[in-house]
Structures are given as C-alpha cells and as structure tokens.
Amino acid sequence: GAGVSQTPSNKVTEKGKYVELRCDPISGHTALYWYRQSLGQGPEFLIYFQGTGAADDSGLPNDRFFAVRPEGSVSTLKIQRTERGDSAVYLCASSSGQSVYGYTFGSGTRLTVV
Amino acid sequence: AQSVTQLGSHVSVSEGALVLLRCNYSSSVPPYLFWYVQYPNQGLQLLLKYTTGATLVKGINGFEAEFKKSETSFHLTKPSAHMSDAAEYFCAVTLDTGGFKTIFGAGTRLFVKA
C-alpha cells in the first residue's frame, strides 16, 4: 500500500482482556518495527522483524506481549491479560532495509485499558 | 548504551522567528541521527537524517540540522517559523551495528505564536 496502515485506530478494552493490533507495512518493506508511545514520551522500541522472524524482541515488556509476522508482510501485536499500564499509542513502522534509512510510521493504535 | 536527550519539552517562538530545537546523544560508536515530526493525531514523519558525509543536512519544510561530533549534538533549526510548524519533534539515534533499533528522545513540542 501507499503507507503503513494500522488497525484499529482506537481500541478500548477492559482490564484482563486480550487484544490484537494489526500493522500492514508498505509493500516490499522487509523490516517492520513496533514501538509504544506513552503520554509525554518518545516512542519506545518493542520488537523488530526482518522478514518473518523476530530479529530483536528485547523491548517487549513481559511475556503478556507477543508479535507475529507469519508471511513477512502483515504483523499482529498481541497483548494478553491487559493492564491499565498498557494504555498507550502503539506505533508500527516499516523500512526497506536497516533503520539507517529511517522509518515510515503508521498513525498508530491508541489502546485504552479501563 | 546509546541515549538521546532533548533539551526543553516545550519551545515557543513567534511566527517568523528562528526555531532551534536541541538534541544531544550519547553513543560509543558513530551514530546515525534522525529528526521526526509528529503533527496532532498523525504518525511520525521523517524530517531529516544524518548517516555519513556532510554534517549539515537539509530536510523537508525548510528544516536543517548539523551533526557536531565534538559536542555530541544534532540540533534542529529553521530560520523562520511558520504557524504550520507547530508540532512535536523527536530526535532519534541508531547505531551502525545492524541498525535495527532506534532510540528516541522524549520529544519537544513547538508552539508558534502569531
């Protein structure tokens, strides 16, 4: 597609529920990144995919967070047993290679856990 | 470990005045440096980047930044502010070690007064 698409744009869920956030990167971009942006802060790295594999998942805060990219294109970030502290904007970005080229970001999914 | 410090969470300038947003980084190896801009309710957009070569880099919308290794700085400037420049600006750094993780500063919100 023309840009990075993230759905839904907003998600409100109850504490303890499971959520899935979707990212559709720019066609042909092999690298895909997930970041989390809390209010008043810069984006915080979560996980990086090169193709289908997670090359670096060191930013995932705990085992409630998981992400997949089964066909090397669309990625899904999954959060189990959501907590109020998970409330943030989840950003997806893609690039054609290493991040030295800079990212193209999606508009994000605003997750609110009530 | 690499880190990014943006001095001033808020900067206010008058329309037509010089814009100066400060960024300092810490890195043990030569970094790649970026500025991103985030307009309200939109995703982050790459403004400019420094990888190698000329230390003064020009970006979109009349912005430029200069990499000063001796000062570990990458300040963003624009000679004359426009109302449309009001946004949040993020400085970011990634290392030339595979380049798969970019670290962002906390951001500086720019206000432009008429």
Side-chain angles (χ1 to χ4, degrees):
Chain A
V4 178
S5 176
Q6 290 188 247
T7 55
S9 55
N10 282 283
K11 176 70 176 179
V12 180
T13 191
E14 292 181 348
K15 180 176 177 294
K17 298 291 188 183
Y18 168 83
V19 296
E20 289 189 352
L21 311 179
R22 175 189 168 106
C23 173
D24 198 342
I26 290 174
S27 178
H29 277 191
T30 56
L32 185 146
Y33 309 81
W34 283 99
Y35 279 77
R36 178 169 69 176
Q37 187 175 17
S38 300
L39 194 63
Q41 297 183 23
E44 172 191 19
F45 172 80
L46 295 177
I47 187 170
Y48 155 63
F49 286 92
Q50 181 60 44
T52 60
D56 183 354
D57 63 358
S58 62
L60 295 177
N62 51 59
D63 61 5
R64 295 186 297 105
F65 288 74
F66 189 71
V68 296
R69 195 186 185 198
E71 298 179 356
S73 178
V74 171
S75 176
T76 304
L77 178 65
K78 308 180 181 193
I79 310 174
Q80 299 176 319
R81 304 183 304 280
T82 52
E83 300 177 358
R84 292 196 178 87
D86 298 335
S87 297
V89 176
Y90 289 81
L91 297 168
C92 178
S94 69
S95 71
S96 57
Q98 297 175 351
S99 62
V100 63
Y101 302 114
Y103 301 156
T104 300
F105 277 91
S107 297
T109 294
R110 182 176 299 278
L111 176 65
T112 304
V113 183
V114 297
Chain B
Q2 57 191 115
S3 66
V4 179
T5 302
Q6 292 185 240
L7 300 178
S9 59
H10 297 83
V11 169
S12 181
V13 301
S14 297
E15 192 173 21
L18 171 72
V19 176
L20 171 60
L21 305 182
R22 299 178 187 274
C23 173
N24 288 88
Y25 68 90
S26 87
S27 171
S28 57
V29 297
Y32 297 129
L33 297 160
F34 306 84
W35 276 98
Y36 286 84
V37 59
Q38 187 173 33
Y39 297 102
N41 300 316
Q42 294 187 28
L44 282 81
Q45 179 182 2
L46 182 63
L47 199 56
L48 52 77
K49 64 187 177 195
Y50 168 77
T51 54
T52 59
T55 55
L56 180 64
V57 293
K58 296 185 184 297
I60 60 173
N61 301 336
F63 283 92
E64 61 183 35
E66 186 172 10
F67 169 54
K68 292 187 176 180
K69 184 178 178 181
S70 61
E71 299 177 6
T72 61
S73 69
F74 191 57
H75 302 331
L76 181 70
T77 61
K78 181 174 180 178
S80 177
H82 191 272
M83 297 296 288
S84 61
D85 295 327
E88 185 132 27
Y89 293 80
F90 293 93
C91 182
V93 59
T94 190
L95 298 184
D96 184 17
T97 55
F100 52 80
K101 184 189 297 185
T102 296
I103 304 300
F104 287 81
T108 298
R109 183 165 295 279
L110 176 67
F111 297 92
V112 182
K113 300 174 291 185

